[in-house]
Amino acid sequence: MAIALSFLSTHLLLLVASFGVLAKGQLDPHFYDKVCPQALPVIKSIVEDAIKQEARMGASLLRLHFHDCFVNGCDASVLLDDTDTFIGEKNAAPNMNSLRGFEVIDRIKSALYYVCRGNVVSCADIVAVAARDSVVALGGPSYEVHLGRRDARTASQAAANNSIPAPTLDFSGLVSSFVSHGLTIQDLVLLSGAHTLGFARCTNFRARLYNETWTLEDSQATSLKYICPSESGDGDDNLAQLDGTPAKFDTVYYDWLLQRKGLLHSDQQLYKGDGSGSDGLVKYYSQNSKAFWEDFGVAMIRMGALSPLIGTDGEIRMDCRKVN
């Protein structure tokens, strides 16, 4: 990546791209203002309650939105259970035994049916708003979620396996994945910044821990070996935090990358320390939390506009786990 543009210019490019999404008229932040003005406050309240009970849930709800949008667009297909006609995404390799938050989405859907006096708010919009409210509840920035998505009638395990970037990807593979979704390298760095929240399973960082010791800070490697034994199957589900403040939305994730403490291979690929790739962006956001907050919201809006079902496409599910 040639970071020849000033960071102010890059920031403006992000904003222009965001306004370009709005210009298409696909989604509208005020979509529910008249049909159910209580919708967003209800989602916010339930998300805050869920995070109060378990802070980790915020990271899980944010991840749920990402894993939904990267598979055929932001259409709530990730919520669908398997049926006789399709195998869904819940048991795809990136999601099995790790994707969480489905019960929280169910609670929101039930509450909205009562408050809105009918089946008004789509599951896809619930996922998008819950992700934003999770960020805010854990100390991060608010941003306007653009609404009006409808829900898919099918899901694809194969698409999930192929579309969600793996934690083992090198920088070029990460860039290719994001570009294939119409996203930029800056989006990659910003959306990866969501790893300032939450934890990762041993299976996702074992190879980095034992095969890449030269790129992992020594004390970090030592402590992680107590959590994640070298033998596959031993401690696979043990968790390690993605940065030093896993329940606080901040820029510590980028600080860790600069210190060679990135937990996942894909994390550390964003900063190699040789001035290549996205090194400059990682340094910039590490040192400029305000810019990160502003640009993260724009990147989330861009991701949330990936191939939404609108108008008469798809449906609004009564139950987020199954088609009507």
Side-chain angles (χ1 to χ4, degrees):
M1 170 190 178
I3 311 182
L5 292 171
S6 70
F7 286 107
L8 176 59
S9 297
T10 339
H11 175 61
L12 288 174
L13 284 175
L14 260 179
L15 291 174
V16 169
S18 175
F19 292 142
V21 169
L22 284 174
K24 295 177 184 177
Q26 294 182 325
L27 302 173
D28 180 358
H30 304 290
F31 188 82
Y32 296 107
D33 284 4
K34 292 183 178 179
V35 293
C36 187
Q38 308 98 321
L40 269 61
V42 167
I43 298 173
K44 181 175 183 287
S45 176
I46 294 176
V47 167
E48 288 176 345
D49 181 65
I51 292 174
K52 188 176 296 182
Q53 294 181 42
E54 182 196 8
R56 183 184 165 211
M57 185 54 67
S60 297
L61 291 171
L62 182 55
R63 183 168 179 250
L64 194 62
H65 184 38
F66 181 91
H67 282 224
D68 181 36
C69 289
F70 259 61
V71 183
N72 296 327
C74 309
D75 59 5
S77 59
V78 71
L79 305 177
L80 288 170
D81 291 334
D82 295 350
T83 70
D84 292 337
T85 58
F86 64 80
I87 300 175
E89 299 163 25
K90 289 182 177 178
N91 289 317
N95 300 333
M96 186 170 23
N97 298 323
S98 67
L99 209 60
R100 307 167 69 244
F102 301 110
E103 295 79 8
V104 177
I105 301 300
D106 291 340
R107 282 176 56 201
I108 294 171
K109 183 67 177 179
S110 296
L112 289 175
Y113 188 86
Y114 174 77
V115 170
C116 300
R117 300 183 180 182
N119 187 31
V120 173
V121 184
S122 70
C123 301
D125 278 347
I126 292 172
V127 171
V129 176
R132 187 274 310 280
D133 291 344
S134 295
V135 170
V136 175
L138 293 170
S142 185
Y143 54 90
E144 277 195 324
V145 180
H146 300 164
L147 302 165
R149 301 168 189 79
R150 288 166 63 87
D151 302 323
R153 293 191 176 99
T154 188
S156 171
Q157 185 178 102
N161 283 327
N162 292 329
S163 299
I164 298 171
T168 55
L169 282 182
D170 291 335
F171 183 72
S172 60
L174 292 168
V175 172
S176 295
S177 176
F178 273 66
V179 169
S180 72
H181 289 87
L183 300 172
T184 67
I185 293 176
Q186 190 172 14
D187 292 323
L188 165 62
V189 174
L190 287 163
L191 295 173
S192 296
H195 283 181
T196 189
L197 300 176
F199 297 77
R201 297 164 64 228
C202 168
T203 52
N204 288 326
F205 62 85
R206 179 181 279 122
R208 168 156 167 72
L209 177 57
Y210 291 98
N211 300 334
E212 302 175 28
T213 53
W214 61 91
T215 68
L216 185 59
E217 194 268 337
D218 292 342
S219 63
Q220 176 83 339
T222 300
S223 63
L224 286 174
K225 287 178 180 177
Y226 288 104
I227 298 172
C228 186
S230 59
E231 293 298 321
S232 179
D234 190 2
D236 283 0
D237 292 326
N238 291 349
L239 299 174
Q241 56 197 51
L242 286 158
D243 79 359
T245 54
K248 183 179 179 182
F249 194 93
D250 53 27
T251 57
V252 172
Y253 167 76
Y254 298 116
D255 298 340
W256 270 35
L257 297 187
L258 296 178
Q259 299 167 37
R260 295 188 299 119
K261 288 185 176 182
L263 182 64
L264 305 178
H265 175 82
S266 56
D267 287 330
Q268 198 59 58
Q269 285 291 296
L270 301 183
Y271 184 78
K272 297 180 180 179
D274 58 5
S276 65
S278 53
D279 279 11
L281 286 167
V282 171
K283 286 182 179 178
Y284 177 66
Y285 289 123
S286 171
Q287 298 165 3
N288 295 274
S289 58
K290 183 179 179 181
F292 170 55
W293 277 31
E294 292 175 353
D295 293 353
F296 179 81
V298 176
M300 287 293 289
I301 291 169
R302 280 166 55 76
M303 184 186 76
L306 292 178
S307 303
L309 298 172
I310 57 173
T312 58
D313 292 337
E315 64 183 14
I316 300 177
R317 289 187 220 133
M318 291 281 295
D319 181 338
C320 290
R321 295 173 183 258
K322 61 185 181 182
V323 299
N324 294 341

